[in-house]
Amino acid sequence: MNNPVHKDTQSVWGGEEQSWMQGATQVPVVHSVSFGYRDMDEWMQVAKGEKPGHIYGRNTNPTVQAFEEKVRLLEGGQAATSAATGMGIISSALFGLLGSGDRVVSIKDTYGGTSKLFFEFLPRFQVNTTLCDTADHAAIETEIAKGCKLVYLETPTNPTIKILDLERLTAAAKKTGAIVIVDNTFATPINQNPLQLGADLVLHSATKFLGGHADALGGVICGNKDLVEKIYHFREINGATLHPMAAYLLLRGMKTLHLRVARQNRSALEIARFLFEHPAVGRVYYPGLETHDNYEIACKQMQGFGGMLSFELKENTLEAVKRLLPRLRFAHAAANLGAVETLVGMPATTSHVECTARERAAMGIPEGLVRYSTGIEDTRDLIADLTQALEGI
Ligand SMILES: *Cc1c(COP(=O)(O)O)cnc(C)c1O
């Protein structure tokens, strides 16, 4: 969709350009569970979807709808729907679109919860997933060409920040008619728009960068209208509805999304360069470094490289990570990312907490890996903090 309004303006105004009760300038938090009608014919029309309006809070709600609309405009999709968490929207999408006998092609580096759906839950319903090596585009193309209902991608990945070429892989899926879903949580709509690169659907854990303040859970998906309707229909029945209060917090957070992400992009690049030179640090994973395996792809499809990076300590052990993290003054050691505060974590307690040490090793995730979610603090303070913490180990 060709949208003449720029993303910075859309972050502020998107979904909010209508008149609210009594001229309120901010979207009201509508807690009402149901919506009453005095005209039974009008009620009937709204219920049938012939007229805009709301019936019951598990289905739709004005605050939630404003949030969905803001994301839809930023991603340039036809339609959007949401859920209580990122996993709520991912599972609604997979269970809403797939049926017994369908095949999925995905990558080994999807978010830990998503890979649980592929390993543990979907096979119970005879939906099997082939998980390809994330670094091997040719292998992914080969698996897609064998035929599948759905291609599920994520880029950049968690926690080793790998990059997939979305134009290349969506082109492969188009040839076989497979639906392509992209988890765009790490990039944000400011840095990357998968729908413009050929994906059918793009989703976010809104808990992370979209909300940005680590105080509300949420998930959202947008893209092709028919597909979004199927996902919405399953979500209204499974009941994983986004709460209006959470929707409000996410909406408020998103008004500064463009400012936060711009700062995070800049700081993360500087920090990645600093870590790259540091004697106590081994590999640094950041797509904005020329040494990153997929630097060219990142330059082609991303408008910024994002706030997420990870690095391995030279002493590549969990013990070394356990000594480092508590020494950081300006970083919460917590299982979250994308907030205004810097956050650090280790895969064993964050992205891959659901996996055993052996499963993590099989996925190529080193035990001495530190995931670093850059906040909006002054970059100089973050680098000084890392300097003193790395000296201490
Ligand atoms: C956190 C996260 C999810 C899951 O989101 P929740 O809101 O925690 O359910 C999915 N994908 C990615 C990339 C994530 O970082």
Side-chain angles (χ1 to χ4, degrees):
M1 252 165 56
N2 195 10
N3 198 329
V5 179
H6 297 98
K7 285 183 195 172
D8 291 15
T9 309
Q10 217 61 282
S11 301
V12 179
W13 283 97
E16 307 196 28
E17 281 187 83
Q18 50 174 296
S19 46
W20 304 102
M21 203 174 80
Q22 316 240 346
T25 58
Q26 301 306 305
V27 178
V29 187
V30 180
H31 282 286
S32 183
V33 155
S34 62
F35 300 82
Y37 293 86
R38 301 206 55 92
D39 178 332
M40 299 304 113
D41 291 330
E42 189 192 358
W43 187 4
M44 199 88 84
Q45 284 173 309
V46 175
K48 285 184 187 159
E50 292 163 8
K51 198 176 172 205
H54 305 279
I55 300 284
Y56 184 58
R58 196 182 70 238
N59 305 355
T60 65
N61 166 284
T63 317
V64 170
Q65 204 169 54
F67 162 71
E68 293 166 348
E69 182 64 4
K70 196 186 278 296
V71 181
R72 184 189 76 77
L73 289 164
L74 281 166
E75 287 288 14
Q78 291 174 345
T81 192
S82 60
T85 63
M87 283 314 302
I89 204 68
I90 294 168
S91 47
S92 294
L94 295 175
F95 283 94
L97 297 175
L98 296 166
S100 172
D102 284 338
R103 175 169 181 263
V104 179
V105 172
S106 189
I107 49 166
K108 287 186 181 152
D109 292 83
T110 53
Y111 178 74
T114 309
S115 68
K116 276 283 158 194
L117 289 175
F118 292 143
F119 281 127
E120 189 178 336
F121 295 101
L122 286 166
R124 291 188 196 165
F125 304 94
Q126 286 74 50
V127 174
N128 288 307
T129 305
T130 305
L131 298 178
C132 305
D133 180 349
T134 310
D136 191 347
H137 280 75
I140 304 171
E141 283 171 327
T142 304
E143 289 302 330
I144 293 171
K146 287 181 191 165
C148 58
K149 173 78 188 252
L150 194 144
V151 177
Y152 187 98
L153 306 172
E154 185 176 320
T155 182
T157 62
N158 190 2
T160 49
I161 328 289
K162 293 186 181 121
I163 303 290
L164 292 171
D165 187 332
L166 292 178
E167 271 177 328
R168 178 172 168 181
L169 296 174
T170 55
K174 287 251 149 54
K175 282 188 208 149
T176 66
I179 301 164
V180 180
I181 302 185
V182 178
D183 182 336
N184 202 30
T185 301
F186 270 37
T188 80
I190 302 297
N191 286 332
Q192 178 172 275
N193 294 116
L195 299 177
Q196 271 78 67
L197 300 165
D200 300 288
L201 293 162
V202 55
L203 67 85
H204 291 271
S205 166
T207 314
K208 315 293 170 54
F209 288 94
L210 297 189
H213 293 72
D215 55 6
L217 293 158
V220 59
I221 194 162
C222 45
N224 177 284
K225 190 164 183 288
D226 294 338
L227 298 175
V228 168
E229 269 169 13
K230 282 186 189 162
I231 297 163
Y232 161 75
H233 181 53
F234 187 61
R235 206 288 335 272
E236 73 172 327
I237 301 306
N238 74 33
T241 306
L242 180 62
H243 192 280
M245 192 62 221
Y248 176 79
L249 291 168
L250 297 171
L251 263 176
R252 186 170 68 168
M254 283 185 71
K255 286 176 200 257
T256 55
L257 179 67
H258 54 300
L259 298 176
R260 287 187 279 112
V261 170
R263 167 61 72 89
Q264 286 161 326
N265 285 344
R266 251 189 295 131
S267 281
L269 180 60
E270 248 185 82
I271 290 166
R273 285 181 178 149
F274 158 79
L275 290 168
F276 188 82
E277 299 294 337
H278 199 285
V281 174
R283 275 186 78 171
V284 179
Y285 303 84
Y286 188 66
L289 293 179
E290 286 85 345
T291 49
H292 188 283
D293 288 342
N294 301 123
Y295 174 69
E296 279 80 22
I297 303 172
C299 289
K300 183 181 71 162
Q301 73 187 16
M302 301 178 81
Q303 284 86 61
F305 300 112
M308 296 302 301
L309 59 101
S310 61
F311 58 97
E312 261 168 58
L313 294 173
K314 274 257 168 68
E315 185 194 334
N316 193 0
T317 64
L318 197 53
E319 289 314 308
V321 176
K322 281 188 192 165
R323 289 199 304 278
L324 176 75
L325 300 195
R327 295 187 55 86
L328 289 165
R329 178 177 170 200
F330 298 119
H332 288 300
N336 186 28
L337 60 96
V340 289
E341 300 95 359
T342 293
L343 287 141
V344 288
M346 36 199 178
T349 55
T350 59
S351 59
H352 290 72
V353 64
E354 294 96 343
C355 305
T356 63
R358 187 189 279 172
E359 281 171 340
R360 281 192 294 276
M363 292 177 196
I365 296 166
E367 289 298 288
L369 192 77
V370 176
R371 187 179 77 183
Y372 193 90
S373 167
T374 315
I376 61 166
E377 301 92 341
D378 191 306
T379 318
R380 292 168 298 188
D381 293 331
L382 296 180
I383 289 178
D385 197 23
L386 280 163
T387 304
Q388 64 78 23
L390 285 164
E391 269 162 18
I393 62 161

